Amino acid sequence: MPPPGPPDGTDPAWLPPAAFRAIGSRRTLVRGGGGPLVETVFGEVAGACARFGGSVARGGATADVSSYDLVLDVGGAQGDDESFVLRRDAEGGGPTTVTAASGRGLLYGLFHLVRLGEGVFQGRWEPEVHRPALPLRMLDHWDNVAVHPVMGQVERGYAGGSIFWVDGRARHEPQRVRAYARLLAACGINAVAVNNVNVHETEAHLLTDRIGDVASLAEEFRAYGIRTHLSVSFAAPVLLGGLASADPLDAGVREWWADATAAVYDVIPDFGGYVVKADSEGQPGPFAYGRSHADGANVLAAALEPYGGTVHWRAFVYDHRQDWRDRSTDRARAAYDHFAPLDGEFAPNAVLQVKHGPMDFQVREPVSPVIGAVPRTRLAVELQVTQEYTGQQRHVCWLGPMWSDVLRFRPDGETAVGQLADGLVGVSNVGDGPYWTGHPLAQANLYTFGRLAWDPGADPLRVLDEWVSLTHPDAPDALVSGLHAVLDGSWRTYEKYTAPLGVGFMVQPGHHYGPSVDGYEYSPWGTYHFADRDGVGVDRSAATGTGYAAQYAKVWADVYESAESCPDELVLFFHHLPYGHLLRGGSTVIQHIYDTHFDGVAEVEAAREVWASLRDLVEPGRHARVAELYEEQVRSAREWRDQVNSYFLRKSGVPDARGRRIY
Ligand code: GCV
């Protein structure tokens, strides 16, 4: 079967036909074992050859390779399921070879060849072994089946509707789903959860009477080596099974989960498992029964265990009905307080899924202390690819550098997060719009997420290079440098014109787009900045504050405890400081706020000009779409600048040292 193109009018993203030119113009032999993923690889190569004039043949394990340029060898090698070896022995001839133990490894090898292009058919390549650093590389969709009255079809979705569901039913668009699976596999993702972690009534039924809809999706994902997961309600035994309780220690409840899970595997034999948001923002959980989250996770893990499934149990548990007057409660502490004491109590097939920061996907947060505190628990770090708090795919904000900082952080001073974790999970930024991600440049975030999950130590700028050259094959230098100019520093630019120095939020409540400095200040959500006439920030020190800083190992607790040693970019997350406090960088807090907000807007205006200069180098529809979004980004950035600067001028009474206009 030829490789699936996206539906008509949908952007091919990082797999445009031209990306396959080098492979498609050569003679390829697919040699050795078979299986569905080998069929997928064969179809990919055949499709490329049909376009570019090459040829592809099948052969047994010992078939002669002398007349081929490329040999894709499968089944004969030792190795794990996802690894492959690339080599090219001879200088002036002889085939380039990819050897894999399984079809999955071969598929990843094929996409690696696509990334390398012509170069892999030239010169000598010493054998290189490639394998993913993290076995769990998952994308979670927050897609609703039925349109939610407040959150819509996709919660925090900025790219149109769901590609799976519409108005309460499955879309049944296999071509789109398979094209999507192909994009995901090409950046290394191997698991997907197809519904929102906030499991409303309609979505709850996916587990039982609507499992056929999930099975149809799983069929498409399977063709590209991706396992399908389902977000389930902890209260499913009550909601769906009619039991009186969902108590995880109740024998009837255990039996219900075992039976329900067996029925899932009857129709989806390679089902990946469950994702659970429990006791969080109104979702049911084990606390109702006086049980721990390990008790809760383990009952689902036991049901999945016979089939090799996994439960992803989210650590996003906090009190969302906090009294803002109460300064002793700190939302940032909550995940550690709940989960660190449970280390060692989770089943081997339970994965604790921890947001990368202690709050909620802000543009700048410290790395969650939970990540360094659960050495005896399988751990997945959760990132938000959808840009809820980072411009909602109307602003260019490439998150690669932020994610890389998280993955390279060493909680104990020695081992990096990317080495401690078993997995990386991203909240999807994909929808049914023509560019998959709403903003065409937001595709770079999805691609980067997948590649960092494969190799958390990778240099994000090199990953961006890959994305640029795959997405724009044959791009002239001016386009390559223009794309880098608008993307490389865009996260730091966004940080400059929004909430300062790690304090977070200041967004419009509810939809979270655009500034509202006091929007959450007197709310129950636990997200405060405590600005008054003298200063701003949250005292999270152990000496005088909430004690959050002491949740880190000493190497970091000492750094964060004092405003003198705390990095500037996090200083208001950890400390309440006077406006005149001198930062490590040399400015006062107030002058830093003014300067960064003016600079941030100037940087967006400059990026808009760079984009305009690329007009003749980018496909017109794509160029126009980004240009239009830049108008909105500039407008919004100015609004952020003026609201934040005016707010702090009025609170502090301290004028801008450079005399610029503040309202
Ligand atoms: C799916 C934030 C978002 C919610 C989201 C939640 C979560 O609070 O605003 O929309 O709910 O995170 O991660 O569960």
Side-chain angles (χ1 to χ4, degrees):
M1 189 154 102
D8 282 351
T10 303
D11 193 78
W14 49 89
L15 290 181
F20 289 79
R21 187 182 294 123
I23 293 173
S25 53
R26 299 241 162 29
R27 291 159 303 173
T28 297
L29 175 67
V30 179
R31 196 169 74 151
L37 290 178
V38 178
E39 289 311 313
T40 298
V41 171
F42 188 83
E44 286 285 347
V45 179
C49 291
R51 185 176 293 268
F52 294 107
S55 64
V56 57
R58 300 294 293 262
T62 55
D64 177 21
V65 300
S66 57
S67 53
Y68 294 98
D69 309 305
L70 174 62
V71 176
L72 302 175
D73 249 336
V74 62
Q78 301 284 315
D80 42 79
D81 183 42
E82 298 196 308
S83 68
F84 63 91
V85 181
L86 168 69
R87 68 168 189 279
R88 188 166 189 272
D89 295 327
E91 276 297 339
T96 299
T97 306
V98 170
T99 311
S102 76
R104 194 185 299 261
L106 197 71
L107 182 68
Y108 292 135
L110 174 78
F111 286 124
H112 189 65
L113 295 173
V114 172
R115 280 191 287 276
L116 293 172
E118 273 302 319
V120 82
F121 296 103
Q122 287 153 16
R124 189 183 181 90
W125 288 70
E126 295 302 331
E128 288 178 359
V129 182
H130 293 261
R131 63 166 54 87
L134 304 181
L136 306 169
R137 307 180 301 280
M138 183 189 212
L139 208 57
D140 281 5
H141 281 254
W142 287 353
D143 297 15
N144 297 316
V145 177
V147 177
H148 184 270
V150 179
M151 291 300 167
Q153 189 78 63
V154 181
E155 181 153 347
R156 312 306 179 187
Y158 313 106
S162 166
I163 60 174
F164 308 136
W165 319 105
V166 65
D167 295 337
R169 59 182 175 78
R171 287 182 76 135
H172 292 301
E173 292 182 20
Q175 186 198 358
R176 188 195 296 270
V177 176
R178 193 168 291 206
Y180 178 52
R182 182 172 181 248
L183 286 175
L184 297 190
C187 62
I189 290 166
N190 66 359
V192 68
V194 295
N195 64 309
N196 193 354
V197 290
N198 288 333
V199 183
H200 314 106
E201 195 182 338
T202 311
E203 290 82 51
H205 286 268
L206 292 174
L207 175 61
T208 51
D209 43 306
R210 300 181 79 155
I211 193 67
D213 291 341
V214 182
S216 307
L217 295 173
E219 193 176 327
E220 305 310 321
F221 282 118
R222 184 177 301 124
Y224 279 89
I226 294 168
R227 290 176 83 177
T228 299
H229 296 239
L230 202 55
S231 295
V232 293
S233 168
F234 185 75
V238 177
L239 293 173
L240 305 172
L243 302 195
S245 136
D247 182 347
L249 299 194
D250 180 306
V253 169
R254 297 180 80 81
E255 203 179 317
W256 188 88
W257 278 111
D259 291 348
T261 304
V264 171
Y265 278 92
D266 277 347
V267 290
I268 312 175
D270 59 348
F271 180 66
Y274 300 132
V275 180
V276 185
K277 172 178 179 177
D279 290 317
S280 171
E281 301 183 335
Q283 293 297 303
F287 285 161
Y289 307 98
R291 309 301 183 196
S292 79
H293 276 247
D295 293 333
N298 290 347
V299 69
L300 277 73
L304 291 159
E305 195 276 333
Y307 314 97
T310 302
V311 58
H312 283 240
W313 191 268
R314 297 179 83 226
F316 184 57
V317 177
Y318 71 101
D319 176 9
H320 72 289
R321 297 202 179 94
Q322 200 182 312
D323 182 350
W324 58 267
R325 300 164 194 85
D326 164 20
R327 290 242 188 161
S328 65
T329 305
D330 180 5
R331 171 170 164 178
R333 292 188 55 115
Y336 181 102
D337 286 343
H338 287 303
F339 288 95
L342 298 179
D343 186 32
E345 293 184 20
F346 288 91
N349 64 325
V351 173
L352 189 63
Q353 188 164 310
V354 183
K355 287 192 183 190
H356 68 83
M359 296 296 278
D360 199 1
F361 300 133
Q362 300 304 291
V363 67
R364 178 75 71 170
E365 289 188 41
V367 170
S368 168
V370 180
I371 293 171
V374 288
R376 292 176 296 145
T377 305
R378 287 178 76 199
L379 177 80
V381 176
E382 186 178 295
L383 307 174
Q384 198 181 40
V385 188
T386 195
Q387 292 171 237
E388 176 178 359
Y389 291 101
T390 50
Q392 302 199 350
Q393 282 137 254
R394 286 182 252 183
H395 296 217
V396 178
C397 185
W398 174 58
L399 295 163
M402 172 169 103
W403 296 336
S404 175
D405 284 357
V406 169
L407 293 166
R408 293 180 197 207
F409 180 80
R410 298 173 188 276
D412 61 354
E414 286 176 15
T415 312
V417 168
Q419 295 165 299
L420 286 173
D422 297 282
L424 203 63
V425 177
V427 181
S428 166
N429 64 348
V430 164
D432 68 355
Y435 296 100
W436 297 100
T437 54
H439 199 305
L441 298 181
Q443 290 174 4
N445 279 331
L446 182 55
Y447 184 83
T448 304
F449 164 76
R451 296 292 290 146
L452 288 178
W454 181 280
D455 178 8
D459 175 351
L461 285 172
R462 298 287 79 76
V463 175
L464 190 60
D465 280 336
E466 283 177 10
W467 177 80
V468 168
S469 57
L470 284 171
T471 307
H472 307 272
D474 313 317
D477 290 350
L479 178 55
V480 173
S481 60
L483 286 165
H484 274 289
V486 300
L487 284 163
D488 289 5
S490 54
W491 163 57
R492 289 204 165 75
T493 297
Y494 186 84
E495 180 180 27
K496 284 180 186 170
Y497 62 77
T498 55
L501 295 163
V503 78
F505 291 88
M506 301 190 171
V507 289
Q508 296 267 351
H511 57 69
H512 299 166
Y513 184 75
S516 176
V517 180
D518 280 341
Y520 276 106
E521 199 56 16
Y522 306 101
S523 81
W525 293 93
T527 54
Y528 315 119
H529 54 69
F530 299 128
D532 57 25
R533 66 179 183 176
D534 300 317
V536 55
V538 189
D539 184 354
R540 293 190 162 108
S541 68
T544 55
T546 68
Y548 168 81
Q551 291 185 335
Y552 290 88
K554 188 168 167 27
V555 58
W556 288 109
D558 288 350
V559 170
Y560 295 142
E561 178 68 14
S562 143
E564 268 56 55
S565 52
C566 183
D568 283 350
E569 65 271 16
L570 288 171
V571 78
L572 297 184
F573 189 91
F574 283 99
H575 297 280
H576 184 88
L577 297 175
Y579 293 114
H581 172 89
L582 211 52
L583 296 169
R584 291 160 66 86
S587 297
T588 59
V589 166
I590 190 71
Q591 194 57 41
H592 175 94
I593 292 174
Y594 297 149
D595 288 346
T596 49
H597 283 77
F598 282 110
D599 290 351
V601 171
E603 287 169 22
V604 179
E605 289 168 346
R608 177 178 62 172
E609 295 319 305
V610 172
W611 185 260
S613 75
L614 304 177
R615 188 175 295 106
D616 297 335
L617 305 178
V618 179
E619 185 273 312
R622 194 179 174 89
H623 189 274
R625 177 81 185 123
V626 174
E628 180 191 338
L629 287 164
Y630 261 124
E631 294 307 315
E632 165 55 16
Q633 185 173 357
V634 167
R635 184 208 62 78
S636 174
R638 288 177 181 159
E639 197 62 29
W640 269 99
R641 175 195 64 193
D642 293 339
Q643 287 201 26
V644 171
N645 282 350
S646 304
Y647 179 95
F648 283 105
L649 175 64
R650 292 176 194 180
K651 280 268 177 201
S652 70
V654 181
D656 173 29
R658 293 169 60 189
R660 288 162 293 194
R661 175 94 197 260
I662 296 177
Y663 297 85

